[in-house]
Amino acid sequence: MIAAAGVAAAVPGQITTPVIDYRQLSPLLIVFGAALLGVLVEAFAPAAARRLTQILLAGTGFVAAFVMVVVNHSFRGLVASRAVAVDGPALFLDGTILLLALGSLLLLADRSGGNADALVADPAALPGTQEASALLASTDTVTEAFPLMSFSVGGMMLFSQSNSLLTMFVALEVLSLPLYLMAGLARRRRLLSQEAALKYFLLGAFSSAFFLYGLAMIYGFAGSVELGDIFNAAANTSKDDTFLFLGMALLLVGLLFKIGAAPFQAWTPDVYQGSPTPVTAFMSAGTKVAAFGALLRVFYVGFGDIRWDWRPIMWVVSIATMVVGAVLAITQQDIKRMLAYSSIAHAGFILVGFTATNAQGLAGTMFYLLTYGFTTIGAFAIVGLVRDGNGEATHLSQWAGLGRRAPFQAAAFAFFLLALAGIPLTSGFMAKFYVFQAAINGGAAGLVVVGVITSAITAFFYARVIVLMFFAEPVADGPVVAEASGYAAGAVGLGLAVTLVLGIVPASVMTLAHNAAVFVR
Amino acid sequence: MTYTAASGLFAATWLLLLFPLVGAALLLLGGKALDRAGYQFATLMPIASFVLAVVLFFHLKSQPTSGRAVDDHLYSWIAVGGFHVSAGLLLDPLSMIFVLLITGVGSLIHIYSIGYMAHDPGRRRFFGYLNLFVAAMLLLVLADSYLGLYVGWEGVGLASYLLIAFWQYKPAAGTAAKKAFVMNRVGDVGLSLAIMLMFATLDKVDYAGVFGGVHHIGHADLTAIALLLLLGACGKSGQVPLQGWLPDAMEGPTPVSALIHAATMVTAGVYLIARSAPIFDLAPEARLVVTIVGAVTLLFGAAVGCAYDDIKKVLAYSTVSQIGYMFLAVGLGPAGYAIAIIHLVAHGFFKATMFLGAGSVMHAMDDQVDMRRFGGLRSVMPVTFATFLMGYLAIIGFPLWSGFWTKDKIIEASFDKGGTSGYILGICALLGAGVTAFYMTRLMILTFFGKRRWTEGVHPHESPVSMTAPMIVLAIGSAVGGFLLILNGGVQHWLTPVLGKSAEEGVHTVNGTVLTIITLLVVAGGMSGAYVAFGRPTVRIPWTPPQAGAVVTAARRNLYGDAFNEAVFMRPGQYLTRFLVFVDGRGVDGAVGGLAALVGGTSGRMRRAQNGFVRSYALSMSLGAVALVGALLLVRFG
């Protein structure tokens, strides 16, 4: 009988063809389309024209996708057989990712101070050989990086708007795999870069496995991978829910790894330091947005009803992340490592908004991601310009007296640091204020106390860099600051403009985030 | 509590801020082209603000009492859901007094700096920072919400930080700037938590909303808000236990010490508490803490002030001590708010006079600050001496000079608090007056009287007019300011709409005349003590400080304030850092800097090798995953 019923349910012809809502999916389709076209360009376009074609192609893709996000701004619903959500948070974060991708693209295309960019000419050349040294000055570059980036951007967008855990897992891989490759593409310090790529890959694969295992357990509990079904199963269950919590914990491991939250932050400094700076900027801005988007969606939509069970854990994670990031950043001597620890601390601050578990927290988190992304891209853009004979001069001692050598660049960097420190009249202050007040409203005042204290600690090491740049004697054979090309200047300008405007007149973007802060289920 | 919307002349309030802001932007962004003429432009900016402030003052005075709180709404700053904060300026009697003080003293110090900084290669930057400071300070006192105040609060902190570290070639300047930064952050944590708490309980952070709603806040919350505000105030105003940065801040140029670290910024804490009067009125326990902080600080500052030979350090500790008086007064509640503000204004004048005088002396003595190398300057620098004398007579409370009117009021009000606490506070204040007279007399004798103990090759001379003119103006203010401020209770009446009725006519514990006589006797005791120790013709002042007993040694070491900070904050911070670095999978390698290395200023450096193994990262992830799973299951089934 049972077998017969099973057969009956699987009668051929009962599977309905999924309806594809092309208009709602168009941002994703455009970005992925541009990426595929980019692969074709690699195959068929003449070498001389490739670079420019790729830049234009990727840029056009991002802009067109952004336009479609704006066009779709009022749509709310589940599309593609309920696998993809198009709702306020999805649209807001998609738009954010696309704008940040544009900024990162500028950095990736940048050739300030010569004809070479930050990417290696031939990744296959053995480090240390003559061939490899000859390539340092080559004007060639791995143009594959541009389609890789487009794939990753598409993955990021999908990651934050998947309504099904399976789609989310696919998106996780689509966003991660290109990043593993890109991390290994640095033109200089090849070994460091390759080491970073390998570490990132191994640990990323490790965390993906956790995610997948968690997915399986959740499926075992709920009988579905759709977030809405998981919500219902968790809310109305009378059976043993061990698998639910086991699965939830494992999913959390995978997501916290991508965010770079404690205790899964160990990879961040090494990977940030080794990757080419444009890629670091892209990772720290884009991945953070996407991963937080996914975290918010899974926990607010799927596990929203049992939030009183996971909230205490998030308290601990958030506090640990803030403290580890803030305190360890103090002892850093490398500017990229310092920014890596700062990104860990910021992940902690954003988790404060997440832990608020109210609409305000959701809106605050989204606003924070937007402001942090632009500030961090601007900061890395400046890092990419400060160089010595061996490429980027990232040791802090080399930044001594930079304010005299390059007052504008140093001032811009100081401004970004002040924003990261959350000093008023910068977007960083408004963002912190927003998530902290959401957390207070959500009954997490204790988190806010820790948040305020750790942000006071972070302010110290940002200030230390500012002092070093403006109040220390320049070192004798210090780095030169490359004349910024239009690309780099554009990225810095974008970062400055957003950081300043959202610090002084944040009301309209805050309202946008506020109105977008409702998930569909 | 409602404020009138700004119209007519009041709609120009924002111009007060605009002038110095334009100056700062122009000088700091303008580049070398402005090296020659920029400073003159920058000097005009606070003067323009001052002129406007005077016009606004008379206009405000012409309004009926109920209409003297004018809100100049600029734009909607934050508007999300039910949460609104507008960017706006509040011009009322309290902020008006501060605006006049800031722009008035600020203008004079800009003029003085023309002479003082004439040969400094960083002059343009210096004036740019000064303008920035004036703008931020005006925002601090003019903002119509705690959030706006916080912006100004951070702004003055930034400007102060930049100016302390201005002479970057002095290592001490960098260390001092760091110390100021860290200690101020501790205070800022208090202020920002107070603002968050206001938001949590009232959903509002603007003055009108908060003060209108204070009656709906529970007593415990209200006391917490008040104490957190006090923490913020202590940080900015150099009160115990956050006093350590202020004396070190004297590493900055002297005009900065006069403007920021004596007359204006460091009194922001007093402003904050006075502005929050409706909160403190309902939190008597918090007020008691304020008075205790004030009393302890005024004695602490005065005691340490006796031990230093560095003229600026003595003045700095005297500032700490005088602000202690203001805290004491402001903690007394309605009885003391107005008196605190009056003493604050008077102090702004006489302390600025003395700092500018000290700057003038240093200018003449090749930037030396050791008073053991001064002596007999009275005849060489007559104008400096005369103006300094005015400041000196004002601070010790010599009859008819400023301090006599304002400090005595605080002593009187302390006794009038009644009960045991009133007597204790009153006696502290009285004692402080005696010690103040002692160390200030010592400073006068060592600097201007006695034998000439100059280092060879020093040829002191009177300073140029651009320096002496502001000193003269300020000296006149020191001499007669107190009397004018107290005359007919003018300032008290002026402030009544903001701070409530001053309880001056309450019952006196001690008869006023008797108290005045006692105070004068104590002051005379302090003066003659100093004369006996340092002023008699037979006393020789050696170049190096003589060996001293335990008490003096303790005072020379700031009563071990730095040692305390090191033991309580720095060491645990270092251990935390060490522990985290260890846990981070790298082992402890080399020296450890730390959260706290900076508190003491010894910025330890951490050299670390790139030895992060993937396997140890993976292990830490696995352990993290186990912990996470375990914790979640524990929450669920535990």
Side-chain angles (χ1 to χ4, degrees):
Chain A
M1 273 301 282
I2 295 164
V7 172
V11 169
Q14 292 227 335
I15 297 174
T16 48
T17 356
V19 182
I20 301 296
D21 312 78
Y22 286 102
R23 192 184 129 184
Q24 280 71 44
L25 288 172
S26 57
L28 284 169
L29 296 176
I30 292 171
V31 173
F32 283 128
L36 290 171
L37 275 179
V39 175
L40 292 179
V41 169
E42 281 303 310
F44 299 111
R50 264 185 225 157
R51 206 180 97 90
L52 194 61
T53 317
Q54 292 287 21
I55 295 170
L56 288 175
L57 188 59
T60 315
F62 297 154
V63 172
F66 184 77
V67 170
M68 286 316 291
V69 168
V70 176
V71 169
N72 289 336
H73 74 275
S74 57
F75 185 85
R76 301 285 184 272
L78 298 172
V79 297
S81 303
R82 303 174 61 83
V84 175
V86 180
D87 54 10
L91 289 162
F92 187 92
L93 295 176
D94 275 0
T96 307
I97 291 171
L98 286 166
L99 290 179
L100 294 174
L102 267 177
S104 312
L105 179 68
L106 291 174
L107 289 184
L108 206 60
D110 174 47
R111 288 189 150 172
S112 296
N115 295 317
D117 48 35
L119 301 176
V120 69
D122 177 9
L126 268 181
T129 57
Q130 275 197 325
E131 185 199 0
S133 342
L135 284 173
L136 281 183
S138 160
T139 55
D140 287 349
T141 190
V142 206
T143 41
E144 284 93 342
F146 296 100
L148 283 176
M149 183 180 175
S150 296
F151 275 121
S152 187
V153 169
M156 287 173 181
M157 292 164 65
L158 185 59
F159 195 42
S160 66
Q161 61 182 132
S162 308
N163 187 49
S164 127
L165 290 179
L166 217 47
T167 316
M168 191 173 273
F169 178 71
V170 174
L172 172 64
E173 294 305 303
V174 173
L175 96 82
S176 304
L177 287 170
L179 280 179
Y180 301 149
L181 284 174
M182 289 163 79
L185 291 182
R187 180 174 284 260
R188 292 158 185 280
R189 302 195 211 173
R190 295 284 306 139
L191 277 178
L192 202 61
S193 175
Q194 289 175 0
E195 183 189 326
L198 187 67
K199 270 184 191 164
Y200 193 21
F201 169 67
L202 287 174
L203 295 171
F206 195 43
S207 77
S208 293
F210 277 105
F211 188 92
L212 196 57
Y213 199 15
L215 189 166
M217 296 211 178
I218 297 283
Y219 182 74
F221 169 79
S224 166
V225 288
E226 243 181 64
L227 295 178
D229 296 340
I230 296 169
F231 177 86
N232 290 331
N236 313 311
T237 185
S238 53
K239 58 182 176 182
D240 180 14
D241 52 5
T242 313
F243 276 108
L244 172 68
F245 282 88
L246 220 50
M248 187 164 73
L250 295 175
L251 282 183
L252 192 57
V253 173
L255 291 169
L256 289 181
F257 174 85
K258 278 290 156 211
I259 286 165
F264 311 106
Q265 87 295 350
W267 60 277
T268 325
D270 289 7
V271 174
Y272 275 32
Q273 187 186 16
S275 304
T277 304
V279 177
T280 313
F282 176 54
M283 267 194 300
S284 70
T287 314
K288 199 148 266 162
V289 179
F292 264 104
L295 183 74
L296 285 164
R297 190 169 292 280
V298 170
F299 279 80
Y300 279 37
V301 178
F303 304 130
D305 196 62
I306 49 169
R307 60 177 175 279
W308 300 110
D309 290 314
W310 54 258
R311 247 178 77 131
I313 309 298
M314 294 315 297
W315 266 69
V316 178
V317 170
S318 155
I319 289 176
T321 310
M322 288 188 283
V323 171
V324 165
V327 174
L328 283 181
I330 292 176
T331 57
Q332 299 309 314
Q333 290 301 306
D334 183 281
I335 199 108
K336 281 169 88 176
R337 286 187 84 85
M338 191 205 84
L339 287 174
Y341 279 106
S342 136
S343 102
I344 295 170
H346 279 278
F349 298 137
I350 305 175
L351 280 172
V352 173
F354 169 79
T355 312
T357 52
N358 51 20
Q360 250 185 340
L362 176 55
T365 306
M366 294 196 294
F367 183 76
Y368 203 126
L369 289 166
L370 175 73
T371 59
Y372 174 73
F374 279 102
T375 308
T376 195
I377 283 185
F380 277 114
I382 303 279
V383 171
L385 291 177
V386 181
R387 303 173 187 170
D388 63 9
N390 298 318
E392 285 162 12
T394 56
H395 198 272
L396 265 184
S397 63
Q398 292 172 296
W399 285 57
L402 201 74
R404 284 186 225 168
R405 210 165 283 153
F408 175 75
Q409 285 88 339
F413 195 68
F415 184 66
F416 290 133
L417 291 180
L418 290 178
L420 291 174
I423 301 293
L425 295 187
T426 64
S427 61
F429 170 71
M430 300 314 309
K432 277 212 180 76
F433 187 77
Y434 203 170
V435 294
F436 286 170
Q437 57 113 332
I440 281 192
N441 270 9
L447 269 187
V448 174
V449 173
V450 179
V452 170
I453 292 172
T454 43
S455 61
I457 297 174
T458 61
F460 166 70
F461 60 77
Y462 297 126
R464 198 181 65 164
V465 179
I466 297 177
V467 173
L468 199 67
M469 288 194 300
F470 288 98
F471 299 127
E473 285 301 313
V475 282
D477 50 347
V480 288
V481 177
E483 186 72 24
S485 72
Y487 290 124
V492 175
L494 192 66
L496 280 180
V498 174
T499 307
L500 186 65
V501 169
L502 290 188
I504 296 176
V505 279
S508 54
V509 179
M510 279 185 166
T511 310
L512 197 66
H514 178 78
N515 294 337
V518 183
F519 282 114
V520 295
R521 184 166 276 134
Chain B
M1 192 173 281
T2 50
Y3 302 127
T4 320
S7 58
L9 197 53
F10 290 125
T13 307
W14 63 282
L15 285 175
L16 286 171
L17 282 169
L18 187 73
F19 289 127
L21 203 59
V22 167
L26 215 63
L27 261 70
L28 294 177
L29 303 176
K32 295 203 166 43
L34 291 164
D35 268 355
R36 266 153 40 101
Y39 72 94
Q40 291 160 338
F41 179 74
T43 309
L44 287 177
M45 293 297 104
I47 296 177
S49 289
F50 178 66
V51 171
L52 178 60
V54 171
V55 172
L56 285 172
F57 169 70
F58 283 108
H59 194 50
L60 196 66
K61 208 161 179 291
S62 69
Q63 306 293 317
T65 318
S66 59
R68 281 187 191 163
V70 189
D71 193 88
D72 185 10
H73 173 81
L74 298 180
Y75 65 93
S76 179
W77 192 11
I78 305 172
V80 188
F83 180 49
H84 293 273
V85 183
S86 72
L89 303 177
L90 171 65
L91 194 68
D92 70 350
L94 181 61
S95 54
M96 195 69 242
I97 288 189
F98 274 86
V99 168
L100 287 170
L101 177 74
I102 295 160
T103 54
V105 177
S107 302
L108 290 172
I109 287 174
H110 273 74
I111 295 170
Y112 177 89
S113 304
I114 294 176
Y116 194 82
M117 301 297 283
H119 306 295
D120 198 289
R123 184 173 61 181
R124 174 176 57 88
R125 204 158 46 88
F126 179 82
F127 277 91
Y129 292 158
L130 270 192
N131 268 206
L132 179 68
F133 168 76
V134 171
M137 189 71 204
L138 286 173
L139 177 61
L140 195 163
V141 297
L142 278 171
D144 69 348
S145 71
Y146 279 99
L147 207 59
L149 175 138
Y150 187 72
V151 174
W153 192 269
E154 292 285 316
V156 291
L158 185 69
S160 142
Y161 177 62
L162 292 168
L163 284 164
I164 295 172
F166 185 76
W167 281 325
Q168 38 196 271
Y169 51 83
K170 296 204 304 196
T175 311
K178 258 187 210 166
K179 194 168 172 183
F181 188 81
V182 170
M183 288 199 155
N184 268 298
R185 292 307 299 183
V186 176
D188 293 350
V189 167
L191 179 56
S192 46
L193 285 178
I195 297 173
M196 293 286 171
L197 203 53
M198 282 173 204
F199 177 77
T201 47
L202 288 174
D203 259 11
K204 290 197 172 65
V205 294
D206 59 312
Y207 294 151
V210 172
F211 300 156
V214 279
H215 293 280
H216 306 301
I217 310 179
H219 188 69
D221 283 345
L222 201 67
T223 308
I225 292 176
L227 288 175
L228 287 167
L229 287 174
L230 173 63
L231 180 62
C234 283
K236 198 56 94 198
S237 292
Q239 298 294 290
V240 173
L242 297 175
Q243 82 290 349
W245 68 272
L246 184 52
D248 287 14
M250 298 301 128
E251 292 297 337
T254 304
V256 172
S257 313
L259 177 61
I260 301 183
H261 304 120
T264 56
M265 185 190 84
V266 290
T267 57
V270 183
Y271 170 79
L272 179 65
I273 295 178
R275 172 56 81 195
S276 312
I279 296 175
F280 280 89
D281 282 347
L282 296 176
E285 295 86 356
R287 282 216 315 270
L288 183 65
V289 179
V290 178
T291 54
I292 294 171
V293 166
V296 170
T297 311
L298 84 87
L299 287 177
F300 182 100
V304 179
C306 298
Y308 270 93
D309 294 327
D310 177 331
I311 185 169
K312 282 182 76 180
K313 285 269 167 76
V314 174
L315 288 176
Y317 274 105
S318 131
T319 304
V320 169
S321 166
Q322 293 298 313
I323 298 173
Y325 272 105
M326 296 170 212
F327 268 61
L328 172 58
V330 90
L332 294 173
Y337 291 135
I339 305 173
I341 301 298
I342 292 169
H343 189 57
L344 189 155
V345 175
H347 173 258
F349 276 93
F350 64 67
K351 192 49 70 62
T353 310
M354 288 192 285
F355 262 115
L356 295 189
S360 174
V361 169
M362 285 163 61
H363 205 67
M365 304 293 284
D366 289 350
D367 285 332
Q368 290 189 82
V369 287
D370 188 353
M371 293 189 294
R372 293 181 180 277
R373 305 268 171 162
F374 295 168
L377 287 174
R378 179 183 32 155
S379 49
V380 193
M381 307 179 70
V383 180
T384 304
F385 169 68
T387 53
F388 206 106
L389 186 66
M390 294 299 124
Y392 162 73
L393 293 173
I395 192 174
I396 64 168
F398 197 80
L400 304 183
W401 267 260
S402 270
F404 173 74
W405 306 103
T406 61
K407 204 192 321 180
D408 279 19
K409 277 260 184 286
I410 296 180
I411 298 173
E412 193 181 316
S414 307
F415 277 110
D416 289 353
K417 181 170 184 289
T420 323
S421 63
Y423 272 104
I424 296 173
L425 293 173
I427 289 170
C428 286
L430 199 56
L431 205 61
V435 185
T436 305
F438 175 82
Y439 71 75
M440 285 311 301
T441 309
R442 172 175 177 266
L443 185 150
M444 279 304 279
I445 292 172
L446 289 185
T447 307
F448 292 106
F449 294 89
K451 290 205 186 65
R452 297 176 172 183
R453 303 178 302 276
W454 308 340
T455 318
E456 269 177 57
V458 172
H459 304 289
H461 52 87
E462 188 55 272
S463 297
V465 178
S466 69
M467 285 168 70
T468 49
M471 285 157 60
I472 294 170
V473 175
L474 286 169
I476 295 171
S478 319
V480 298
F483 176 69
L484 292 179
L485 287 165
I486 221 84
L487 188 67
N488 290 332
V491 177
Q492 275 120 313
H493 293 310
W494 170 252
L495 286 171
T496 302
V498 191
L499 302 174
K501 193 115 185 74
S502 157
E504 175 118 14
E505 41 293 306
V507 188
H508 289 305
T509 316
V510 183
N511 180 292
T513 323
V514 175
L515 191 61
T516 306
I517 292 168
I518 296 175
T519 310
L520 287 177
L521 286 176
V522 170
V523 168
M527 287 168 72
S528 35
Y531 177 78
V532 170
F534 307 102
R536 281 173 304 147
T538 47
V539 175
R540 265 199 74 246
I541 312 284
W543 270 4
T544 47
Q547 288 287 321
V551 179
V552 177
T553 310
R556 279 182 188 161
R557 299 200 180 150
N558 316 328
L559 298 178
Y560 300 109
D562 289 337
F564 176 82
N565 282 339
E566 188 172 312
V568 176
F569 299 112
M570 184 168 146
R571 291 283 151 68
Q574 281 181 335
Y575 288 131
L576 176 66
T577 317
R578 250 182 247 196
F579 172 72
L580 280 173
V581 168
F582 181 74
V583 170
D584 201 38
R586 269 148 239 270
V588 188
D589 185 11
V592 170
L595 156 64
L598 42 110
V599 176
T602 56
S603 174
R605 292 288 144 92
M606 176 78 197
R607 277 193 68 236
R608 56 167 50 182
Q610 176 68 26
N611 63 350
F613 292 112
V614 178
R615 56 168 188 261
S616 58
Y617 291 173
L619 182 66
S620 76
M621 275 179 67
S622 312
L623 292 178
V626 170
L628 211 61
V629 171
L632 258 178
L633 292 180
L634 198 70
V635 170
R636 174 63 186 86
F637 302 108

